[in-house]
Amino acid sequence: MFVTGEAGVGKTSLLRRFCAEQHDAPRLVWGACDPLFTPRPLGPLVDVAEATGGELLHVVDEGAKPQAVAAALIRELAVRGPTVLVLEDLQWADEATLDVIALLGRKIETVPALAVLTYRDDELDRRHPLRIVLGGFARARALRRVDLTPLSRDALARLAEPRGIDADELYRRTGGNPFFATEVLAAGDAEVPATVREAVLARAASLSPQAEALLEAVAVAPPHVPLWLLEALTEDDLDGDRLPKKLQPHRRKLFGLTIDPVRLQQIRTERKPGSRYATLEQCKKEVALAEEMFRIERLPALSTTHTSIEEIASKVLAQFGIQKHMF
Ligand SMILES: Nc1ncnc2c1ncn2[C@@H]1O[C@H](COP(=O)(O)OP(=O)(O)O)[C@@H](O)[C@H]1O
Ligand SMILES: [Mg+2]
């Protein structure tokens, strides 16, 4: 069985509950991969072997080849009573572990065991070696897949109610991700807690520069940004001092916002201390390019450094002659 879903969606929680509810007492063995730069060889299988002991522990301790480890694992599963074997977070598996799992996949139907493999499907690119391994399981007749999705608005409402927190706001902030939601609820105030900030930044740290630029554009745009706008915001020609091509047809609706580079540096330092992105030099360069573009393209513009969001809104409305309706 595969259990998939983004980080924090509840894979581990679901499996803990599932294992706790097994009353006819199969043997439960659990192994997990860790997010290491140099994954420990056979990492999750070391956990499993420590639980089973016997021949499997012996071959793993010896650092045997994947074939020998897989054979020992299959024998271990064959001779003992029914087993639930959970292997978690395979997006971080080392190559030896992946080979063992591939070999197990071919024999899983011959042993009295349920193998539950979890991974973050949104973190596997097309060439991730785990994909090949999973492909091997696809032939197993008994294969099941559980793709976990974030919590619904109703589920969030049930979590938020005892704390008197607005469920719609919680949904807007967390998208229903249970990890984000429970951390925000535990913090008990409107601020995004440090735990969530750390978790998000840790994931952003491994992105390519292009993916990071896209993430930054999405982060400042409202939910459901139209694709053409994202393309315009992330195209390389944003580096130039002319308006990106995709924005040109909309130029009569554009309004430039700029900021004092020192203030921008403060904001970026809070977000990503010590990064190139947060250096004063980088901030000055980007602000100068943007201001040059506003000037050349004759866009109306405004500095946001000492301006409240209400003042910005009313100046933009006045510029375009839009009527303000008060409800
Ligand atoms: N169904 C749920 N209802 C409420 N909270 C949940 C639920 N599933 C997970 N959580 C919370 O979210 C956190 C992250 O879940 P976890 O199972 O560790 O996610 P994953 O293993 O997918 O990364 C858990 O600590 C738990 O508090
Ligand atoms: Mg987990």
Side-chain angles (χ1 to χ4, degrees):
M1 174 183 283
F2 300 160
V3 177
T4 70
E6 65 186 19
V9 78
K11 300 179 291 298
T12 304
S13 305
L14 176 71
L15 289 176
R16 287 220 180 96
R17 182 67 175 265
F18 170 74
C19 289
E21 286 181 357
Q22 296 307 309
H23 298 304
D24 41 0
R27 181 169 56 144
L28 306 170
V29 264
W30 203 293
C33 306
D34 302 304
L36 302 175
F37 288 108
T38 44
R40 39 178 195 144
L42 295 170
L45 295 157
V46 173
D47 301 341
V48 170
E50 280 168 359
T52 63
E55 185 203 353
L56 182 61
L57 182 61
H58 182 69
V59 291
V60 166
D61 269 350
E62 271 191 333
K65 293 243 159 65
Q67 286 78 353
V69 176
L73 175 62
I74 290 160
R75 272 195 292 278
E76 172 68 38
L77 296 174
V79 296
R80 301 282 184 91
T83 305
V84 177
L85 169 69
V86 179
L87 297 175
E88 278 236 83
D89 286 320
L90 295 179
Q91 73 280 354
W92 296 317
D94 62 287
E95 289 178 357
T97 298
L98 291 176
D99 281 343
V100 173
I101 294 174
L103 294 165
L104 174 67
R106 292 207 211 136
K107 293 277 175 64
I108 189 68
E109 293 191 322
T110 67
V111 291
L114 170 67
V116 185
L117 311 180
T118 79
Y119 59 94
R120 299 179 179 177
D121 51 343
D122 60 336
E123 290 186 20
L124 300 189
D125 59 31
R126 249 178 299 157
R127 276 190 281 274
H128 195 293
L130 179 59
R131 289 206 185 275
I132 299 166
V133 174
L134 298 175
F137 275 81
R139 264 171 287 143
R141 267 175 295 123
L143 178 68
R144 295 281 180 283
R145 250 191 108 95
V146 179
D147 298 318
L148 292 182
T149 49
L151 298 176
S152 65
R153 211 173 275 262
D154 284 350
L156 278 192
R158 278 168 59 190
L159 287 177
E161 208 225 284
R163 296 177 182 264
I165 285 181
D166 179 43
D168 286 329
E169 175 64 10
L170 186 62
Y171 192 79
R172 198 184 62 73
R173 279 173 163 256
T174 63
N177 180 294
F179 170 70
F180 294 160
T182 49
E183 293 292 319
V184 170
L185 286 173
D189 56 27
E191 282 292 298
V192 173
T195 42
V196 172
R197 191 183 293 257
E198 295 297 324
V200 171
L201 290 180
R203 291 180 68 192
S206 60
L207 295 176
S208 66
Q210 293 91 329
E212 204 172 333
L214 185 64
L215 181 66
E216 269 162 16
V218 174
V220 295
H224 311 298
V225 209
L227 195 56
W228 64 263
L229 179 58
L230 269 189
E231 283 173 353
L233 289 176
T234 53
E235 246 173 2
D236 294 341
D237 58 20
L238 194 62
D239 287 343
D241 54 7
R242 301 306 300 243
L243 203 54
K245 271 194 270 354
K246 291 245 168 48
L247 287 181
Q248 282 164 12
H250 306 280
R251 52 173 309 130
R252 285 191 313 122
K253 297 184 188 170
L254 294 179
F255 194 101
L257 296 180
T258 174
I259 188 169
D260 174 17
V262 175
R263 176 72 192 119
L264 182 60
Q265 188 206 9
Q266 284 168 355
I267 296 170
R268 289 184 167 188
T269 301
E270 273 169 35
R271 241 194 257 165
K272 256 199 199 175
S275 63
R276 193 179 71 88
Y277 155 90
T279 56
L280 186 56
E281 191 196 352
Q282 180 69 15
C283 295
K284 276 187 179 158
K285 195 177 111 194
E286 286 182 35
V287 170
L289 267 178
E291 289 178 354
E292 179 72 354
M293 179 206 291
F294 300 158
R295 202 180 54 75
I296 295 177
E297 302 281 352
R298 296 211 191 87
L299 294 182
L302 171 70
S303 169
T304 60
T305 315
H306 301 290
T307 320
S308 72
I309 193 88
E310 291 81 9
E311 287 171 281
I312 298 173
S314 63
K315 294 214 166 121
V316 173
L317 290 174
Q319 169 76 30
F320 294 112
I322 299 170
Q323 290 298 313
K324 185 156 70 175
H325 293 285
M326 303 290 274
F327 293 100

